[in-house]
Amino acid sequence: MAVHHDSAVGEQGPGGDRETAKPTKKAPVKKDSTASASEAAAEVRPASAKGSAPAKKAASVKSPASVSKAAAGQPKAESRTALVRRARRINRELAEVYPYAHPELDFENPFQLVVATVLSAQTTDLRVNQTTPALFAKYPTPEDLAAADPEEVEEILRPTGFFRAKTRSVIGLSKVLAEEFGGEVPGRLEDLVKLPGVGRKTAFVVLGNAFGRPGITVDTHFQRLVRRWKWTEETDPDKIEAAVGGLFPRSDWTDLSHHVIWHGRRICHARKPACGACPIAPLCPAYGEGETDPEKARKLLKYEKGGFPGQRLNPPQAYLDAGGRPAPPLGAG
């Protein structure tokens, strides 16, 4: 996940993540518009535990010519029913491409997850994962972190950026947990958002991944992609959450968030999406905003689909079984 999240520096994503749509030639359209996203994704689905690493089968579509009429632009008057069907089909396709999708923050308990999520504002999950081992080794409980010397915590958190504000948040939320919740992270939204540095986005990350309670994580990648796919035109995170939530069963919300965020990080980039390597190109009204040549598009892929390690130092076994590689620890290169 899932993810640039809210913290003391505010409920916002990274400042440099914006879209730059460059006009390119649209893909040739076949008369036969029955080509499915499943066919387009044939070369991109990751290997199972029995197969080869996904890095060896980098995401690609057979050719731009295989993209259906949907890629040339969604009809202006798409009905609500058609939108729901298209949105759910996109999620099903992404679930096949990323069956091992998971929150990309390392954590062993709810306390570690809420702290890591707060720290992930304005930085990458990878940088947080490289920083938190030292933090949790020295302060394993809310009581320990609540009593910590701020200067010592600041020094540990320095690599994550905005380390003074983040130090105030994690010490502050630890004090609230110790004093008001018996040292336990609460499992209710209304309680979580009372913690310093925790807003709805962080709360849903914790609820969905530590407590198994469905929630939509509207981070910068999620916002960008759902607008690119014309699921909503809203720009306010709360309104995006409501609009997208209405397209899916509540039980799908947490996994949907992982699928969208993973796709935004690996293939559907902000400035130059890898359209020619996208498994859902036939369903995307923005096809052609990025590189459509399959070979050139494959060079734009990031993380395991581009042959690079993921963001977690200790990823789930399912990810490793699928050929994913763990990230290196801080200072390892």
Side-chain angles (χ1 to χ4, degrees):
M1 59 345 340
V3 185
H4 297 285
H5 304 295
D6 43 290
S7 78
V9 295
E11 289 273 309
Q12 58 185 338
D17 202 348
R18 59 181 178 83
E19 294 182 34
T20 305
K22 296 183 179 180
T24 60
K25 290 184 178 180
K26 292 180 179 177
V29 179
K30 283 188 175 183
K31 290 184 178 180
D32 180 6
S33 61
T34 60
S36 70
S38 296
E39 292 169 346
E43 296 299 321
V44 309
R45 291 173 185 153
S48 66
K50 298 179 181 179
S52 58
K56 295 180 181 178
K57 280 195 175 183
S60 65
V61 291
K62 293 178 181 178
S63 71
S66 69
V67 177
S68 71
K69 290 181 180 179
Q74 213 51 34
K76 292 182 180 179
E78 184 178 33
S79 69
R80 172 72 178 180
T81 299
L83 171 59
V84 169
R85 288 175 177 170
R86 182 169 62 87
R88 294 185 182 186
R89 186 176 173 190
I90 286 176
N91 188 42
R92 288 196 300 271
E93 295 295 335
L94 294 181
E96 292 189 28
V97 176
Y98 310 112
Y100 46 80
H102 57 266
E104 294 194 270
L105 288 167
D106 282 324
F107 70 98
E108 295 179 357
N109 54 56
F111 172 61
Q112 290 188 1
L113 180 57
V114 71
V115 169
T117 307
V118 167
L119 295 180
S120 69
Q122 302 292 336
T123 190
T124 64
D125 286 354
L126 171 58
R127 180 61 67 182
V128 174
N129 292 337
Q130 292 173 325
T131 304
T132 51
L135 180 71
F136 295 137
K138 190 167 186 177
Y139 311 107
T141 70
E143 291 82 0
D144 294 325
L145 191 51
D149 181 341
E151 291 186 0
E152 293 182 5
V153 176
E154 286 179 3
E155 193 58 34
I156 295 174
L157 300 185
R158 186 179 294 271
T160 68
F162 300 96
F163 58 92
R164 291 188 180 89
K166 291 179 181 180
T167 294
R168 288 194 296 271
S169 285
V170 297
I171 290 179
L173 72 84
S174 295
K175 287 181 178 178
V176 174
L177 290 176
E179 295 170 2
E180 298 183 21
F181 295 99
E184 299 291 333
V185 175
R188 300 194 310 165
L189 176 65
E190 54 267 40
D191 292 329
L192 284 168
V193 295
K194 294 177 182 177
L195 302 177
V198 176
R200 288 178 65 87
K201 183 167 55 175
T202 290
F204 281 133
V205 171
V206 175
L207 289 173
N209 298 291
F211 294 98
R213 297 176 183 173
I216 293 178
T217 303
V218 186
D219 79 336
T220 183
H221 301 288
F222 193 95
Q223 292 184 49
R224 184 180 75 252
L225 267 63
V226 299
R227 288 198 299 267
R228 186 173 275 173
W229 295 337
K230 307 299 182 187
W231 289 3
T232 180
E233 294 182 355
E234 299 290 353
T235 56
D236 177 77
D238 290 348
K239 292 181 179 179
I240 291 174
E241 176 194 324
V244 175
L247 301 177
F248 296 88
R250 185 180 180 87
S251 58
D252 289 352
W253 288 357
T254 299
D255 285 342
L256 168 70
S257 300
H258 293 323
H259 298 153
V260 175
I261 292 168
W262 274 52
H263 193 62
R265 285 176 167 170
R266 287 154 174 78
I267 296 178
C268 195
H269 313 308
R271 294 176 178 82
K272 197 169 185 180
C275 294
C278 181
I280 59 166
L283 301 170
C284 181
Y287 176 84
E289 287 187 8
E291 180 57 65
T292 58
D293 179 84
E295 292 301 322
K296 292 180 180 178
R298 275 196 290 272
K299 296 178 181 178
L300 299 175
L301 302 181
K302 296 181 180 179
Y303 302 110
E304 81 283 351
K305 289 189 176 300
F308 304 108
Q311 300 207 56
R312 289 186 69 162
L313 279 69
N314 298 298
Q317 189 60 44
Y319 177 73
L320 299 175
D321 290 342
R325 290 192 287 142
L330 189 64

